[in-house]
C-alpha cells in the first residue's frame, strides 16, 4: 500500500465507496432468505430445494475466494474491485430473467464468483488504508454496507418480492450494483500491494495455531447463523406465528440491530482485545439461540411470544456483527499487508462453508418437518465455536511466517 492514513476523516469517503459495493453484495446475499418462498412457488420446487440456492452460492464463494484472490493478485486493485462489482451487477440481471431453477442456480454461481473477488479485496483495502488502531472502525464502516443491506435492502427486497415478484427484486439489486461499480472505478485511489505468492504459499498460513483455530471458529459461527436465517421467513411465520405481512418489519429490525452491532463491534475491538470481544459475542449468541429454541419448543401462542422471538433474533443479529468485526481485525493483525487479502479470503471461505453447512442442516431439518429444531442447530454450532476459542485461549507460538502486528490493540 502506498499510504496509510492516521485520520479517519480524510479516508472516510473512500471507505464509504467500498461500503456501497458491500451493500450491493449484502442485499443480494441476504435478500434471498426473504423471497425464498416466492422463488420456490414460481419455479415449482420445495422450499427445502430452493434453500440450496444459498448452498450453491456459499460453496462457490468458499472455494473460489482464496483461489481467485491469489490468481488475480497482480491485477490493479481499483480495476479488480470495480470490475468484480460490474460482473456482480450482470449476474443479478441473469437471476432476474432466469426461466428455470437451473438457470437461477447458474446465476447464483456467477454471483458468488464475483462477490468472492470483490469482498476480500475491498476489506483488505479498508484495513490497510488506516493505522492499526483504527482498523476496527474502518472495517466496521465498510461492513456497515452489509448491515444496512440487512436493515433496508433485505426488508425492501422481501416486500418488493411480495408485491412485484422476486425477479424485480433482483433487477433492483442489479441497478444498485451497476451504480456501485461506476462509483468504485472512479473514486477508489490506486492501491498497490506487494506481489502475491503462490496459492500454496498463501494458504499455508492456516497451519499456524491461532489462524487455523480462528477459521474453525468462523466455520461454526456461520453454520449457526445460517441454519436458522436461511429459513427465517418460514420460521417466523410458522413457529413464531408472525403474519407474512409483518415479516418485512422484523427483517428491518434484524438489519437495524446488525448495523448497530457493526458499529459497536468496531469501537469495542479498537478499545479492547479482539480475542475477548469475539469470545463474549459468540457466547452471547449461543445463549440467545438456546432461548429462542426453548420458546419454539414450548409451542407458545400469542403476541408476547412472537415479539419475544423477534426481539431475540434482532439482538442475536447485532451480536453476530460484533463478532464479525473482531474476527476480521484479529486475522489482519496476524499477517503482513501483502497477505491481508488472502487471510480475509480464507476467513470468507470458512464463513461460506459454514453458511453452506448451516443451510444444508436447516434444509434437512425442514424436510423432516422439525422447524423448531433450527434454533437448536444454531445454538449447538455457536457453542462449538465457543469451545474452540476456550480451548485455544492460552497464548501460543504462531510460528514463522505469521506476523502479529501489535502497534495498536490486539
Amino acid at each position: 500500500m502506498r499510504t496509510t492514513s492516521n485520520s479517519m476523516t480524510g479516508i472516510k469517503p473512500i471507505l464509504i465507496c467500498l461500503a456501497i459495493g458491500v451493500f450491493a453484495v449484502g442485499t443480494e446475499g441476504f435478500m434471498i432468505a426473504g423471497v425464498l418462498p416466492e422463488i420456490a412457488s414460481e419455479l415449482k420446487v420445495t422450499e427445502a430445494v430452493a434453500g440450496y440456492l444459498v448452498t450453491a452460492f456459499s460453496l462457490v464463494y468458499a472455494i473460489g475466494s482464496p483461489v481467485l484472490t491469489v490468481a488475480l493478485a497482480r491485477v490493479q486493485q481499483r480495476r479488480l474491485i470495480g470490475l468484480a462489482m460490474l460482473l456482480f451487477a450482470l449476474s443479478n440481471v441473469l437471476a432476474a430473467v432466469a426461466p428455470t431453477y437451473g438457470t437461477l442456480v447458474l446465476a447464483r454461481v456467477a454471483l458468488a464468483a464475483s462477490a468472492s473477488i470483490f469482498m476480500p479485496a475491498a476489506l483488505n483495502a479498508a484495513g490497510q488504508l488506516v493505522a492499526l488502531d483504527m482498523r476496527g472502525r474502518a472495517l466496521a464502516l465498510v461492513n456497515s454496507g452489509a448491515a444496512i443491506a440487512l436493515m433496508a435492502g433485505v426488508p425492501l427486497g422481501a416486500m418488493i418480492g411480495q408485491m412485484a415478484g422476486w425477479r424485480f427484486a433482483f433487477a433492483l439489486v442489479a441497478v444498485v450494483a451497476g451504480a456501485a461499480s461506476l462509483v468504485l472505478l472512479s473514486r477508489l485511489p490506486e492501491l498497490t500491494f506487494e506481489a502475491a505468492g503462490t496459492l500454496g504459499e498463501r494458504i499455508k498460513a492456516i497451519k499456524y495455531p491461532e489462524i487455523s483455530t480462528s477459521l474453525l471458529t468462523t466455520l461454526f459461527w456461520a453454520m449457526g447463523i445460517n441454519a436458522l436465517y436461511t429459513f427465517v421467513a418460514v420460521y417466523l411465520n410458522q413457529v413464531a406465528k408472525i403474519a407474512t405481512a409483518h415479516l418485512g418489519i422484523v427483517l428491518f429490525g434484524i438489519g437495524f440491530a446488525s448495523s448497530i452491532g457493526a458499529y459497536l463491534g468496531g469501537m469495542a475491538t479498537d478499545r479492547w482485545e479482539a480475542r475477548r470481544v469475539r469470545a463474549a459475542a459468540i457466547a452471547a449468541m449461543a445463549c440467545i439461540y438456546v432461548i429462542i429454541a426453548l420458546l419454539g419448543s414450548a409451542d407458545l401462542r400469542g403476541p408476547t411470544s412472537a415479539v419475544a422471538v423477534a426481539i431475540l433474533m434482532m439482538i442475536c443479529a447485532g451480536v453476530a456483527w460484533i463478532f464479525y468485526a473482531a474476527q476480521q481485525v484479529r486475522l489482519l493483525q496476524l499477517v503482513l499487508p501483502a497477505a491481508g487479502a488472502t487471510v480475509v479470503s480464507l476467513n470468507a471461505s470458512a464463513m461460506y462453508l459454514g453458511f453452506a453447512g448451516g443451510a444444508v442442516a436447516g434444509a434437512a431439518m425442514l424436510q423432516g418437518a422439525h422447524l423448531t429444531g433450527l434454533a437448536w442447530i444454531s445454538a449447538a454450532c455457536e457453542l462449538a465455536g465457543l469451545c474452540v476459542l476456550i480451548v485455544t485461549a492460552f497464548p501460543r507460538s504462531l510460528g514463522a511466517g505469521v506476523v502479529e502486528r501489535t502497534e495498536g490493540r490486539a
Side-chain angles (χ1 to χ4, degrees):
M1 181 73 64
R2 289 182 178 178
T3 61
T4 297
S5 175
N6 291 313
S7 170
M8 283 286 290
T9 302
I11 211 70
K12 187 172 289 188
I14 299 172
L15 298 176
I16 291 174
C17 289
L18 293 171
I20 292 171
V22 174
F23 171 80
V25 173
T27 299
E28 193 282 331
F30 297 131
M31 175 189 71
I32 196 166
V35 298
L36 208 60
E38 287 75 19
I39 291 175
S41 176
E42 181 175 337
L43 298 182
K44 295 179 173 54
V45 296
T46 66
E47 290 176 347
V49 171
Y52 290 124
L53 291 168
V54 177
T55 305
F57 183 99
S58 300
L59 287 175
V60 172
Y61 193 115
I63 296 170
S65 188
V67 174
L68 293 173
T69 295
V70 173
L72 301 172
R74 290 177 173 80
V75 178
Q76 200 280 324
Q77 292 297 291
R78 181 174 65 181
R79 183 179 305 166
L80 178 69
I81 292 171
L83 291 180
M85 183 50 49
L86 180 59
L87 176 59
F88 186 81
L90 296 175
S91 300
N92 271 287
V93 173
L94 177 60
V97 300
T100 65
Y101 175 77
T103 307
L104 187 54
V105 170
L106 290 177
R108 290 286 285 170
V109 168
L111 285 163
S114 54
S116 73
I117 296 169
F118 172 81
M119 291 296 289
L123 291 170
N124 187 48
Q128 307 304 338
L129 277 168
V130 298
L132 292 174
D133 61 354
M134 293 188 292
R135 271 187 178 169
R137 281 166 286 177
L139 287 170
L141 178 56
V142 174
N143 283 324
S144 69
I148 293 171
L150 266 172
M151 181 174 65
V154 176
L156 182 61
M159 287 187 287
I160 290 173
Q162 293 169 7
M163 293 186 297
W166 59 269
R167 296 180 185 277
F168 189 64
F170 277 106
L172 282 182
V173 175
V175 172
V176 173
S181 68
L182 296 178
V183 173
L184 290 167
L185 285 168
S186 62
R187 294 294 301 275
L188 273 178
E190 298 288 342
L191 306 174
T192 304
F193 297 104
E194 300 171 25
T198 65
L199 178 63
E201 290 171 343
R202 293 302 180 187
I203 293 183
K204 73 177 182 180
I206 64 175
K207 76 179 183 180
Y208 301 109
E210 188 164 0
I211 291 181
S212 59
T213 54
S214 292
L215 296 177
L216 182 60
T217 302
T218 295
L219 178 73
F220 285 126
W221 167 80
M223 285 184 66
I225 290 174
N226 236 32
L228 180 57
Y229 190 76
T230 299
F231 305 100
V232 64
V234 181
Y235 189 91
L236 290 172
N237 182 248
Q238 297 185 25
V239 177
K241 307 303 179 183
I242 296 176
T244 302
H246 298 149
L247 290 179
I249 297 174
V250 178
L251 290 174
F252 178 86
I254 290 173
F256 180 77
S258 298
S259 65
I260 297 299
Y263 173 78
L264 294 178
M267 297 293 291
T269 302
D270 284 342
R271 183 167 183 173
W272 296 295
E273 289 186 1
R275 285 172 290 191
R276 293 179 180 178
V277 173
R278 61 182 184 171
I282 201 169
M285 290 178 68
C287 292
I288 294 169
Y289 279 130
V290 167
I291 297 173
I292 292 173
L294 289 172
L295 287 173
S297 299
D299 196 25
L300 300 176
R301 293 290 187 272
T304 301
S305 176
V307 171
V309 171
I311 291 176
L312 285 169
M313 285 191 172
M314 293 174 196
I315 294 173
C316 197
V319 176
W321 281 85
I322 291 175
F323 171 90
Y324 187 66
Q327 184 76 319
Q328 286 183 323
V329 170
R330 184 58 190 158
L331 286 168
L332 285 175
Q333 288 169 343
L334 296 174
V335 297
L336 293 170
T342 302
V343 76
V344 169
S345 71
L346 289 171
N347 188 54
S349 292
M351 179 174 68
Y352 276 96
L353 282 173
F355 283 164
V360 169
M365 186 67 69
L366 197 62
Q367 287 178 327
H370 299 299
L371 272 173
T372 56
L374 293 175
W376 286 114
I377 294 176
S378 294
C381 291
E382 302 304 340
L383 183 60
L386 176 61
C387 288
V388 172
L389 288 183
I390 291 174
V391 169
T392 59
F394 297 102
R396 61 179 65 189
S397 173
L398 296 176
V402 176
V403 178
E404 182 163 11
R405 310 190 69 193
T406 57
E407 293 93 320
R409 288 186 178 269

